[in-house]
Structure formats: C-alpha cells, structure tokens
Amino acid sequence: MQSGYVTTPFGRRSMTLALVQRQVDTEQANNKRPVEKWRVFRDVGDARERLGLQDRALAVLNALLSFYPAVELSEDNNLVVFPSNVQLTARANGISGTTLRKCLASLVDAGVIIRKDSPNGKRYARKGSGGSIEDAYGFSLSPLLARAAEFASLAQEVAAEQRRFRMMKDRLSVVRRDVRKLITAGLEEGVPGNWQAVEDCFVEIVSRIPRRPSTADILDRLDEMTLLHEEVVSILEDNDNSKKPDSNAIVFGCHIQNSKSESCNESEPALEKVQGEKPASINERERKKKPQVFPLSVVLAGCPEIAGLGPAGGVSSWRELMSAAVTVRSMLGISPSAYQDACEVLGDVETAIAVACIYERSNHITSAGGYLRNLTDKAKRGKFSLGPMLYALVRQSSSTIGRRA
C-alpha cells in the first residue's frame, strides 16, 4: 500500500468510520503475497451478493483492473490506477457518468477499492527521473490483494450454498410431483379419505413458493410437502390394509366368506361384526372399555395456554375444549386428516387433550402435525397413554407457579 496513513476523499464526499476501519484493516492485513488479479476478480464476482455489488459495479471493477499493467497484484508494484471517467466509461461498456459514480461508490463501500484523492480531486501520477511512478492519485487496488483469501472463501461459501439450493429445489420438485400423482391416484381409484382437504393443502403449499425463492423458502416448503406426502401415503396404506383378510380369522381357521361359522363366533365373540359396521381393532376396543378422560380442571392446570382460545375466551366444558382444540389445530398447521385419524384412534375428547398438550409444548415441537401422527401410531400399537404426558405438564406448571411465588 502506497499510503501509510488513512486518507480522506476530496470535495463533498463524506468520510465514515467504516471507511477508516477498512483502510486500517487493509494496511494491517497479513496477506502480502502476489495474487493473480483476474482470479480475485472472479471471486469478487461470485461473492457479489454478499458484498452488496451489482453487475455494473463488476464491469467498473473490470475496467479498473484493465488499467493495472501487471498480471499479478503485488505490493512491490504501484497498486493505484488513475484513469479518467471518460476512459473508465469507454472500458465499462459506455455506462453513464451518474451510474459510474454510483458503482465506484459501491466498490469503495464494499471495501474492494480505496480512494486516494489528490489535493484537487484529479487522478494522475508523478514519475521520477527514471520514469517510474513515485506517487499516484486515483483508486488503490490494495484491498484486492489484502482480502484475496477472504474473497476466495466467500466465493466458496456462495458456491456451496448454490449447490445446496439446487439440491433442495430438485428434492422439492420430486416430492411435489409425487404428492400430485398420489392424490390423483387416490381420487381415480376411489380411495376413502378427505381428498378435498389434501388437495387444498397441496395447492396452499404450492401457492407459497415465490417466483425467486431463497434457500429458506425451499426448505420450509420441502418440510411441508414432505409431511403432506407422508399423510397421503398413510391414507393409501390404510386403504390397502383395510382390504387385507382379518389376521385373527386366519389364525382361528375362519374364512371371511363363511359368515355362518359358529366356532369363529364362539371363540372370539368381541370380533362379531355388525351388519354395515367397520370391525374395530383390539386397541380401539380396549380404548372404548377404558376411556382416558381426566378431570377438566387437571387438563387446564397442565395446559393453561389453550384456555384463552375457547368460544367465549375461556374453557368451562369438554365441548368448549374440543372447540378450542380445532382452533389450535389450524394454528399449529395440523392437517384435518391427521386430526381425524387421532379422533378415530384416541377419541374426540382425548384428541382435544393431546392437542392441548402439544400446544403447551409447541416451542419445543418442530412439526405439530407429525407429532400428533406419531402419537396416533403409538396409540394404535398400544404404546401411548395420555396420562404421563398430561401429568408431566401439570407438575411443570405447578413448579413454575411455586418458583414465582
């Protein structure tokens, strides 16, 4: 760097602490090894969004580098270039003077170049007796040398982020295609299910994909579309399972076609099928025998957050709790099909309690719909009970109140 002190711009251009810090950082930088100027230029171009630069600013930087005669940037050479605005405009594809000044300012603000203005604001160089440049005023390219490693690292980060973005976008496209075709298959095959709700959910997710999505947008939509894919597959799998022969009848040697078998009715009276009624599973029968209903006061003690969502701003009955649970279902993004499945397995009141517990712990649950679906699957296998989850929240609420007291 030709200047051993902080320099300020000429005329009405203001000086800021950020510009001072950039000059100090450039002066104190440890990277003094020569670097190939066009390689650094490519790194700056790749990291232009991180640096807040537009394409036209890169065209101006390209023009500035063209006035530096050597291929490598080195502190042994003069790093100040001093072209006039007319020369810069000619080499920057003929941009206007106003745009040129804005681009130069953005390059300075990004810490890519440093102004080294003369006493009168003109750009020129003074040569010694041997013809070498002793002093020059214009734009110093020293930040490109000092920050070469930083620019290369930024360019690598941007490239990695772009690869990740393309990969996530491809995954979203595949999952979106799969969900669309699975919904169509379910409708065409007449599979029982609330397909209208599934279709509405699919359309709603797709409608929230921006024309120019960010990586965060893609990840959010991918999570939602993946969850919807799981729900659609679950509906189709449930339909396939419902078509399979009853495994208990096969064990006892009963044939489904033989409805007059007395041995089948005598050995398993609880499996006797009423005309037009869907056979209940073992877990459903056990649930009906031993419903998991707790005192409403206990539920509200463990889940006070849901109380304010009742029809009249409070919950004083099971009906009002179920109404509040429907509101919470929508707030947490739980799909209608997941809620309906839970009601069929757990029961309406028990599902409302489960949703109240999930709402109480919503800050610790990534996907409320997936969590409820998981509880439902465990309940089908007889491996879930509301008691431990509810009473854990009651104890937690009691300890919190105790600490406040």
Side-chain angles (χ1 to χ4, degrees):
M1 184 174 181
Q2 280 65 43
S3 176
Y5 57 90
V6 174
T7 180
T8 61
F10 171 80
R12 292 178 295 178
R13 288 191 293 268
S14 61
M15 187 64 180
T16 65
L17 293 179
L19 294 177
V20 173
Q21 187 62 46
R22 290 193 185 98
Q23 292 190 40
V24 172
D25 292 343
T26 300
E27 176 68 21
Q28 297 176 349
N30 295 324
N31 181 28
K32 300 296 183 180
R33 293 179 300 175
V35 295
E36 203 271 311
K37 64 179 181 180
W38 298 119
R39 183 180 66 81
V40 181
F41 174 76
R42 289 192 296 270
D43 291 338
V44 172
D46 291 340
R48 61 184 179 278
E49 291 186 1
R50 297 282 188 93
L51 298 171
L53 298 176
Q54 301 293 330
D55 293 342
R56 290 191 175 184
L58 293 179
V60 174
L61 179 60
N62 180 82
L64 286 172
L65 287 172
S66 70
F67 287 99
Y68 182 80
V71 176
E72 289 187 334
L73 297 172
S74 173
E75 64 177 356
D76 296 333
N77 300 325
N78 176 62
L79 290 173
V80 176
V81 292
F82 40 90
S84 65
N85 283 354
V86 175
Q87 292 172 316
L88 278 177
T89 298
R91 295 196 186 184
N93 304 322
I95 63 176
S96 65
T98 302
T99 303
L100 175 63
R101 289 189 289 272
K102 288 181 179 179
C103 291
L104 289 171
S106 66
L107 289 171
V108 172
D109 292 340
V112 176
I113 60 175
I114 293 176
R115 291 184 186 274
K116 187 184 177 184
D117 288 348
S118 65
N120 60 4
K122 302 295 183 180
R123 301 173 199 147
Y124 58 86
R126 286 196 176 96
K127 295 184 179 181
S129 57
S132 61
I133 296 177
E134 290 184 345
D135 201 4
Y137 297 96
F139 298 100
S140 174
L141 304 177
S142 55
L144 292 174
L145 174 62
R147 301 179 63 188
E150 179 187 349
F151 292 145
S153 178
L154 286 175
Q156 292 174 1
E157 291 178 6
V158 170
E161 184 177 341
Q162 289 175 347
R163 287 194 297 270
R164 182 167 179 259
F165 174 81
R166 289 193 295 267
M167 183 174 64
M168 293 298 103
K169 189 175 181 181
D170 289 344
R171 290 184 181 178
L172 177 59
S173 297
V174 171
V175 177
R176 176 180 175 180
R177 178 198 65 199
D178 292 344
V179 172
R180 175 69 275 169
K181 291 192 174 183
L182 288 173
I183 293 175
T184 302
L187 291 171
E188 291 179 350
E189 298 291 335
V191 176
N194 191 353
W195 292 108
Q196 184 58 52
V198 175
E199 177 76 20
D200 292 343
C201 184
F202 174 81
V203 173
E204 195 271 336
I205 294 174
V206 173
S207 67
R208 287 188 288 110
I209 302 177
R211 293 185 60 184
R212 295 183 178 179
S214 63
T215 302
D217 294 329
I218 293 295
L219 289 175
D220 290 343
R221 302 296 84 76
L222 178 59
D223 289 341
E224 295 172 352
M225 195 65 74
T226 301
L227 180 60
L228 181 61
H229 180 275
E230 294 175 357
E231 294 183 0
V232 173
V233 171
S234 178
I235 294 175
L236 298 177
E237 287 180 347
D238 291 343
N239 179 70
D240 291 339
N241 293 334
S242 66
K243 294 180 180 180
K244 295 179 180 179
D246 190 289
S247 58
N248 293 317
I250 296 177
V251 171
F252 288 99
C254 299
H255 299 282
I256 295 178
Q257 293 86 349
N258 185 5
S259 60
K260 298 181 181 179
S261 173
E262 296 179 356
S263 60
C264 186
N265 292 332
E266 292 173 355
S267 62
E268 195 67 47
L271 291 178
E272 186 173 346
K273 182 178 178 181
V274 180
Q275 183 69 26
E277 180 182 354
K278 181 180 178 180
S281 65
I282 295 176
N283 290 330
E284 288 175 335
R285 294 196 305 275
E286 292 299 324
R287 176 181 57 79
K288 291 177 180 179
K289 292 178 182 178
K290 299 178 181 180
Q292 295 180 350
V293 178
F294 307 90
L296 181 60
S297 59
V298 173
V299 176
L300 296 179
C303 309
E305 293 294 332
I306 200 173
L309 300 175
V315 172
S316 58
S317 65
W318 291 115
R319 182 177 296 277
E320 291 179 351
L321 178 66
M322 288 187 287
S323 176
V326 172
T327 301
V328 170
R329 177 200 69 74
S330 178
M331 292 171 57
L332 296 180
I334 300 174
S335 67
S337 61
Y339 191 88
Q340 182 61 32
D341 289 346
C343 289
E344 292 176 359
V345 175
L346 296 173
D348 295 341
V349 174
E350 292 86 348
T351 298
I353 297 174
V355 169
C357 293
I358 293 173
Y359 184 55
E360 194 69 21
R361 300 185 63 248
S362 58
N363 291 336
H364 306 283
I365 298 175
T366 304
S367 172
Y371 192 87
L372 181 61
R373 179 77 72 182
N374 185 47
L375 297 183
T376 304
D377 292 339
K378 288 183 178 180
K380 288 179 180 179
R381 301 192 301 269
K383 296 183 179 180
F384 170 71
S385 175
L386 276 172
M389 181 169 67
L390 177 59
Y391 285 113
L393 290 174
V394 172
R395 288 192 297 271
Q396 178 180 340
S397 178
S398 299
S399 63
T400 302
I401 294 175
R403 287 196 298 270
R404 291 177 180 175

